[in-house]
Amino acid sequence: MKASLRRTLALRFAATMALGLLLAAGAFYWAAARALAEPVPTAVLKGDLLLALLAVVVAGSAATLVGAWHFTSSAVRPVAEITAQATRIEAGTLDQRIVAHADTEEYEGLVAVLNRMLERLERGFAAQRRLTADVSHELRTPLTALRGEIEVALRAERSPREYQVVLRSGLEEIERLSAMSEDLLLISRAEARLITLQRGPTDLSGIVRRALDDLRARIEEKRLDVRPSLDAGIEPGALDPLLVARLVGQLLDNAVKFTPPDGQVVVETELARSARGGVHLAVENAGPGVAAEDLPHLFEPFYRADHARTRGSGTGLGLALVAAIAHLHGGSVQAQNRDGRGVRIDVELPGLTLA
């Protein structure tokens, strides 16, 4: 069991003062005993008392200084160890941990807090390095395709129609790059809390209906069975309607994309059951499901559950954008497998009551 720093210092200080007082009492006792043992001239008695008082001051001060130096040195020794170890930790050595010889609860708690902070920093730096690598990969693919098409087109004279085909293909790549840049910017600003929510009356069920209408052509092309279960009792709440519309659109687009032909998509809205209130949105697809170890990473930018860096039709930022918008509203998002029948994503947005 760890000792308390406050109790340890108090006991050591008390011991130091007791030693000083003991020496002082001994000196005073010597002077008093001499005065009582035999008649002493007044001048000599005054000198003895002065000497005794001087001895009290010197002995008490010396004992206090020695004791204070001892217990303050032992008290700050772990601080020096922590400082020296923390100074050696840099961005490239965040896997190191502080190991101080702390024998008190306070220092042990401080070391634990610092190590947890280092763990968070390590995860943050790892996420930034992974994001940088992913962005480089995702940018390289369309840029390489765009460059290749232009180089091929310039090798020989082409007809206007052939040039138009190349330009249209290049425009698609540019649009994809623009969408990726906008999504990345929104995610970064949302995580840094640099976006001010433009709250207003937001009908979540209405947003879901409009998003389904926008996806109607793709839904019919894949012959999907979409089953909306929208709670009519949800009143419009104070959310950012534009950001919530992007959140809903990304979730439904993701569900339609990963549901196989003739599959089923379930969309639900209801009042949140948590004490904070708000609304609960769930979107479930009938895709192949996701491995359990991949579920916590689905909302990371560019993460692919199959770990294949193949190029898809989207930017790879859809679910990361969903998480960023939900967290910006103070909400939460989670994913879970549905018994091998697909993935269900639940979003909770609190505070849906207008003032």
Side-chain angles (χ1 to χ4, degrees), residues 11 14 20 28 44 49 56 68 73 96 98 110 121 178 202 216 220 262 270 308 345:
L11 291 176
F28 186 79
V44 176
L49 289 175
V56 168
S73 298
Q96 298 182 9
I98 296 174
L110 176 61
L121 288 174
S178 298
T202 304
R216 184 62 54 192
E220 293 176 352
D262 302 313
E270 61 181 356
I345 297 178

Side-chain angles (χ1 to χ4, degrees), residues 13 100 215 274:
F13 182 77
L215 295 169
S274 64

Side-chain angles (χ1 to χ4, degrees), residues 69-117:
W69 183 270
H70 172 70
F71 75 74
T72 52
S73 298
S74 62
V76 301
R77 188 178 300 113
V79 176
E81 293 180 2
I82 294 171
T83 302
Q85 294 180 38
T87 303
R88 293 192 294 268
I89 297 176
E90 300 179 354
T93 58
L94 287 174
D95 57 333
Q96 298 182 9
R97 294 295 178 263
I98 296 174
V99 183
H101 298 86
D103 57 354
T104 60
E105 296 174 352
E106 290 81 0
Y107 286 135
E108 186 182 50
L110 176 61
V111 170
V113 169
L114 291 176
N115 283 333
R116 286 196 296 269
M117 181 185 68

Side-chain angles (χ1 to χ4, degrees), residues 43-256:
V44 176
L45 181 60
K46 288 182 178 180
D48 289 346
L49 289 175
L50 182 61
L51 181 61
L53 291 175
L54 181 61
V56 168
V57 173
V58 173
S61 299
T64 302
L65 177 61
V66 172
W69 183 270
H70 172 70
F71 75 74
T72 52
S73 298
S74 62
V76 301
R77 188 178 300 113
V79 176
E81 293 180 2
I82 294 171
T83 302
Q85 294 180 38
T87 303
R88 293 192 294 268
I89 297 176
E90 300 179 354
T93 58
L94 287 174
D95 57 333
Q96 298 182 9
R97 294 295 178 263
I98 296 174
V99 183
H101 298 86
D103 57 354
T104 60
E105 296 174 352
E106 290 81 0
Y107 286 135
E108 186 182 50
L110 176 61
V111 170
V113 169
L114 291 176
N115 283 333
R116 286 196 296 269
M117 181 185 68
L118 287 173
E119 290 177 4
R120 292 193 296 270
L121 288 174
E122 183 182 11
R123 290 196 300 268
F125 272 79
Q128 289 296 325
R129 287 192 292 268
R130 184 172 58 251
L131 178 61
T132 302
D134 288 339
V135 170
S136 300
H137 174 85
E138 296 294 334
L139 290 177
R140 185 187 301 115
T141 302
L143 288 175
T144 301
L146 183 60
R147 178 178 179 178
E149 291 175 353
I150 294 176
E151 288 178 346
V152 170
L154 293 176
R155 287 177 183 174
E157 291 293 333
R158 308 287 177 178
S159 66
R161 182 175 179 79
E162 289 175 324
Y163 282 125
Q164 289 178 359
V165 171
V166 173
L167 290 175
R168 289 194 185 96
S169 178
L171 182 60
E172 291 178 359
E173 301 295 347
I174 293 174
E175 289 176 348
R176 184 170 182 268
L177 288 173
S178 298
M180 184 189 305
S181 301
E182 292 175 0
D183 289 347
L184 270 175
L185 180 61
L186 178 57
I187 292 171
S188 300
R189 295 186 63 199
E191 291 178 347
R193 299 289 176 177
L194 297 178
I195 297 178
T196 301
L197 294 177
Q198 304 299 320
R199 294 184 179 271
T202 304
D203 181 8
L204 183 64
S205 296
I207 291 176
V208 171
R209 294 189 190 95
R210 289 192 293 272
L212 288 175
D213 289 339
D214 293 338
L215 295 169
R216 184 62 54 192
R218 292 173 55 192
I219 292 173
E220 293 176 352
E221 180 183 357
K222 298 182 70 172
R223 303 178 303 279
L224 300 181
D225 178 18
V226 179
R227 297 187 178 183
S229 177
L230 309 179
D231 190 345
I234 300 178
E235 297 182 358
L239 301 172
D240 190 313
L242 295 179
L243 290 180
V244 172
R246 293 196 66 174
L247 181 150
V248 172
Q250 291 287 356
L251 280 180
L252 294 178
D253 177 81
N254 186 77
V256 171

Side-chain angles (χ1 to χ4, degrees), residues 268 283-290 295 335-346:
E268 301 174 355
V283 177
E284 180 179 339
N285 65 57
V290 178
L295 284 174
Q336 56 183 321
N337 283 315
R338 301 298 293 176
D339 300 327
R341 296 182 294 106
V343 176
R344 176 186 174 95
I345 297 178
D346 296 273

